[in-house]
Every structure is written in structure tokens, then in C-alpha cells.
Amino acid sequence: MRRRAGVGAIQRQKIQQDKFKEKGSEIQENQLEQMTLQMEKFREKLEEFAAKHKTEIKKNPQFRKQFQEMCASIGVDPLASGKGFWCEMLGVGDFYYELGVQIVELCVATSHRNGGVISLEEALRRLNHRRRQDNQISTDDLVRAVKKLRVLGSGMEVVATGSSQFIYSIPGELSMDHTTLLQHAENVGHMTVSSAASNLGWTQERVGRTVDHLLRIGVAWRDDQDRPPTYWFPAFFQQCTTAE
Amino acid sequence: TTTTTMTGFEWPWQYSFPPFFTLQPNADVRRTQLDAWCALVVSWGRNNNVSQIDVTEASSLPVFKNPSISRSLPADSIMVVLEELAKRGNLEWMDKTKRRGYLFWRSPAEWGQQIYTWAQATSHINSVCTLYEISQGDDTINQ
């Protein structure tokens, strides 16, 4: 009787498996090599494109946004490193770095009256007002610059509340409750503890706690000449956001 | 949008903000609030040629109330603002009773700075001038 199993058979099986593995690896390696070559070519083309359209990228917010998206789709982040082709060739890093600095300056300058909450719309308006006509920025630029700042640990972030987006430059974190209440505040302009409680389905105590924190950092102000007291928010008060 | 009176005085945004007429509980926020109040009283005073403030009549001064939003600064808060102005050199009490005070649109410190700058520009440093020379002299025609 022939016996399939046996040391010899096992060894032959192993050799066969190894050969398959080797072939598999070979194929994989080839594929990887191919892919890497393709990516290299693509990257080269992208760099060519960037160099050719450098001026356009710097001056046109729409174009800049599309370029960013194109880069993102192949996993390239022109803002990622401070050195290298992207930063040096394009100065894209510089662009967002400088914008980041301007945003910080704006937030610092206005935080005494809005408590560190400024709408993207107001920030855009004020920043573009200071810039030349051929050097305007878009909302997308702002969001990217703030994201970059956030990575650097500056404590800034863009938060979408309600229908608008805001740049928060408040030291310390804002909890979900804070942002939820602010979202509600943006819609109603001003509120009492009980009106907010019933609108949000919270206890009055929870509203009180949340408002207290916002009062402490100057995001909310209290009006005692209303019965019951009402709470207002400079960041959402039209005359404040449009003031000089 | 800013609200402007016939005299062309521009009220700051805070003037339309109801909570501005309530002294805020938090110390830091209150400080910026008082900054705004002091600046408002001084610029309103300058614009309306008000150089004296009587505490008992202060509540009726237009600067401390905004009828369009039905808000007015309560008497004790007005006192806080006046005391703050005194601290900054923009108000000088006429006597210890603190019932009336002179309102200085420029504090003595600010005047000092102005005069010194003028003196530097007209080369009067380390020389002696009379008040007449400073306020009416040839060098001050455009000041």
C-alpha cells in the first residue's frame, strides 16, 4: 500500500508551498514596484503642475482649493512639512503659516469682546479687508489654516454650530454641552435659563452650569434688567460682529 | 450699523447691547466692560462739551441710558464707572463728598504726553514756557 503521508511526502509538500509563496511574493513585489513607479510619475507630474501654476495657486482661492483636493486624493499634503519641495517651491506652507498668524492676531484682538468665539464669516471679512485685492482668501483657506494651527497645539479650532462655522480660540476645551448651547444661542440670539432648558430638553441646573462657564470666559453676558435674567452673546450680536 | 445722533456722535456697539447696562459678574469681563464704559463717557463728554458730572443727576444723562432698548445703567453702577474714571485720571472729585466731579476728556497723564510730544517737536525741551506760549504761541497754531 502506498502511503501518502511520510517524511518524504511532507518535505515535498513544504517545498511546493515554498515555491508558491516565492512566486506569490515575486508577483506582489512586481506589483508593488509597478505601483511605486506609477506614483512617482504621478508625483512628478503633480510637482510640474504645481510649479507651472504657482502664481495661480497663490492668488486664486478657488484654484488653490482644487489643487489641495487633488493633492489630498493621492495622499500628498503640501502643508505637512516645513521643508521639501512643496514648501520651498510653492511657498504654500508659508502662505498658510502667515494666514495662521493673522488668524491668531485677529482672535486675540477681538476676544475681549466676543470671549474667543468668532464666526468664520466675520473672520473672513475682516482678514480680506486687510489684504490686497489680488491676495484674497476663502473660507476653505481659513479652515485649513486653523486645522494647521490646531495640529501645532494652539488651542484653536473650527467648530460648526448650527448653520455657521466658528473659530474657537478659547483656552481649555469646550464640552459638547457648551457647543450645543452655543448652537442654540446662535439661533435665538438671547435666552433665559428656562427657555434654553425647554428648547434643549435639559434641566435648568444643566443650563445654569453651562451658562456659568460661558459667562466666566466672556462668551456670554448677563442682562439683569430683564425678568428673568437673559443671556446674550457678543459673538452672535450683529452690531458687535460688524463693529470697527 | 452704528447709531448716530444729530451731532454725528457714533455710539459704540456696546451701547446697543442690553447686558452692557448690567455690571458683569466675572472680574475679567467686567474689566473690559469698564474699559468700554470709560471710553464711552469720555468721548461722549468731549462730543457734548460736558466737563462736570453731578452724581445725583447722572442717571438722566443720555450716555447712561439707551431708551431704544429700554436699558439704563443703575445708580450704583454709574458710581462704579465714575470711580473707575477717577482712578484713570479722567475724573476729579470736587470734594470728599464725591457729589460732583470734573470730567477730563484727556487725563493729566495724557496731557503730559501731548505736551511732551509738542515740546520735542518744537525744541522746547529743558526750556521754560508760559501757559500762554504753549496754548497760543506760534508753534501751537496747528495743535
Side-chain angles (χ1 to χ4, degrees):
Chain A
M1 193 148 57
R2 292 185 75 190
R3 287 200 298 179
R4 285 284 162 190
V7 173
I10 291 171
Q11 276 181 335
R12 268 199 308 276
Q13 220 176 37
K14 187 162 185 315
I15 292 173
Q16 247 180 7
Q17 276 179 347
D18 281 345
K19 285 222 167 99
F20 274 121
K21 259 197 213 155
E22 222 179 276
K23 199 65 185 176
S25 303
E26 212 180 283
I27 293 173
Q28 259 188 335
E29 254 168 47
N30 270 340
Q31 282 181 331
L32 195 56
E33 217 177 281
Q34 283 295 317
M35 228 168 48
T36 310
L37 262 164
Q38 287 285 51
M39 288 301 279
E40 274 307 309
K41 280 212 190 105
F42 189 26
R43 199 189 145 92
E44 258 170 51
K45 286 291 169 193
L46 195 58
E47 288 177 358
E48 255 175 59
F49 178 90
K52 203 158 129 194
H53 298 273
K54 174 175 169 184
T55 324
E56 199 60 31
I57 289 169
K58 274 201 160 135
K59 299 211 162 178
N60 185 332
Q62 185 58 22
F63 193 81
R64 186 160 57 236
K65 179 180 176 198
Q66 287 171 332
F67 174 70
Q68 290 275 13
E69 287 169 357
M70 197 164 64
C71 291
S73 71
I74 57 157
V76 171
D77 182 5
L79 308 184
S81 62
K83 296 190 194 168
F85 170 81
W86 299 108
C87 188
E88 278 158 26
M89 181 57 186
L90 290 182
V92 166
D94 279 346
F95 176 88
Y96 286 101
Y97 174 75
E98 279 163 22
L99 181 56
V101 170
Q102 287 182 344
I103 293 171
V104 171
E105 281 173 354
L106 179 68
C107 289
V108 166
T110 57
S111 79
H112 71 278
R113 65 177 174 204
N114 58 32
V117 178
I118 185 170
S119 72
L120 225 56
E121 181 268 333
E122 182 187 348
L124 192 72
R125 185 173 18 98
R126 290 190 191 275
L127 289 171
N128 271 334
H129 186 69
R130 281 169 53 187
R131 299 170 78 94
R132 293 195 321 268
Q133 267 308 108
D134 65 351
N135 196 21
Q136 298 280 287
I137 54 170
S138 66
T139 315
D140 182 76
D141 289 325
L142 276 187
V143 173
R144 283 181 200 274
V146 175
K147 274 209 185 103
K148 197 75 192 134
L149 285 170
R150 180 153 189 228
V151 164
L152 295 171
S154 70
M156 289 207 169
E157 60 180 309
V158 175
V159 177
T161 66
S163 53
S164 330
Q165 286 180 297
F166 289 82
I167 300 176
Y168 283 15
S169 56
I170 301 169
E173 294 276 311
L174 279 188
S175 70
M176 270 292 290
D177 274 6
H178 297 132
T179 50
T180 307
L181 190 84
L182 281 174
Q183 183 174 340
H184 177 59
E186 191 206 342
N187 290 331
V188 297
H190 55 280
M191 62 178 69
T192 62
V193 169
S194 52
S195 75
S198 77
N199 280 315
L200 296 171
W202 292 1
T203 63
Q204 297 212 2
E205 190 261 345
R206 184 175 171 190
V207 173
R209 244 187 302 128
T210 311
V211 167
D212 274 346
H213 180 75
L214 296 174
L215 275 173
R216 229 176 298 126
I217 59 178
V219 169
W221 284 48
R222 192 170 76 205
D223 178 17
D224 278 340
Q225 292 180 32
D226 221 347
R227 285 274 165 274
T230 21
Y231 298 91
W232 296 69
F233 303 81
F236 310 141
F237 186 67
Q238 204 232 349
Q239 285 93 324
C240 178
T241 63
T242 52
E244 279 304 301
Chain B
T1 52
T2 52
T3 27
T4 329
T5 63
M6 284 199 303
T7 53
F9 182 68
E10 272 186 30
W11 297 100
W13 71 267
Q14 289 94 333
Y15 186 69
S16 319
F17 193 54
F20 187 55
F21 294 82
T22 302
L23 280 192
Q24 293 304 297
N26 174 270
D28 291 327
V29 181
R30 180 179 293 210
R31 196 172 312 122
T32 61
Q33 184 184 22
L34 287 175
D35 285 347
W37 268 115
C38 288
L40 174 57
V41 172
V42 163
S43 67
W44 172 84
R46 185 189 302 127
N47 192 266
N48 291 280
N49 238 326
V50 174
S51 52
Q52 285 181 26
I53 295 190
D54 185 310
V55 171
T56 52
E57 293 167 7
S59 310
S60 60
L61 292 176
V63 70
F64 291 122
K65 52 187 178 171
N66 187 349
S68 68
I69 56 169
S70 312
R71 292 288 180 275
S72 56
L73 200 60
D76 51 358
S77 304
I78 291 179
M79 204 57 201
V80 172
V81 173
L82 295 178
E83 290 281 30
E84 188 62 35
L85 282 165
K87 238 185 271 169
R88 296 172 190 216
N90 289 105
L91 189 92
E92 193 176 280
W93 296 113
M94 287 187 197
D95 58 35
K96 275 192 279 241
T97 63
K98 293 192 179 180
R99 274 200 296 243
R100 294 182 68 89
Y102 294 111
L103 182 67
F104 298 126
W105 311 328
R106 280 207 176 109
S107 68
E110 285 170 319
W111 270 116
Q113 185 59 50
Q114 284 280 324
I115 292 172
Y116 190 76
T117 310
W118 168 85
Q120 277 183 318
T122 54
S123 311
H124 275 107
I125 302 286
N126 281 330
S127 70
V128 178
C129 288
T130 62
L131 275 179
Y132 180 80
E133 278 178 303
I134 296 175
S135 62
Q136 314 280 4
D138 296 328
D139 289 327
T140 19
I141 297 293
N142 295 318
Q143 303 281 331

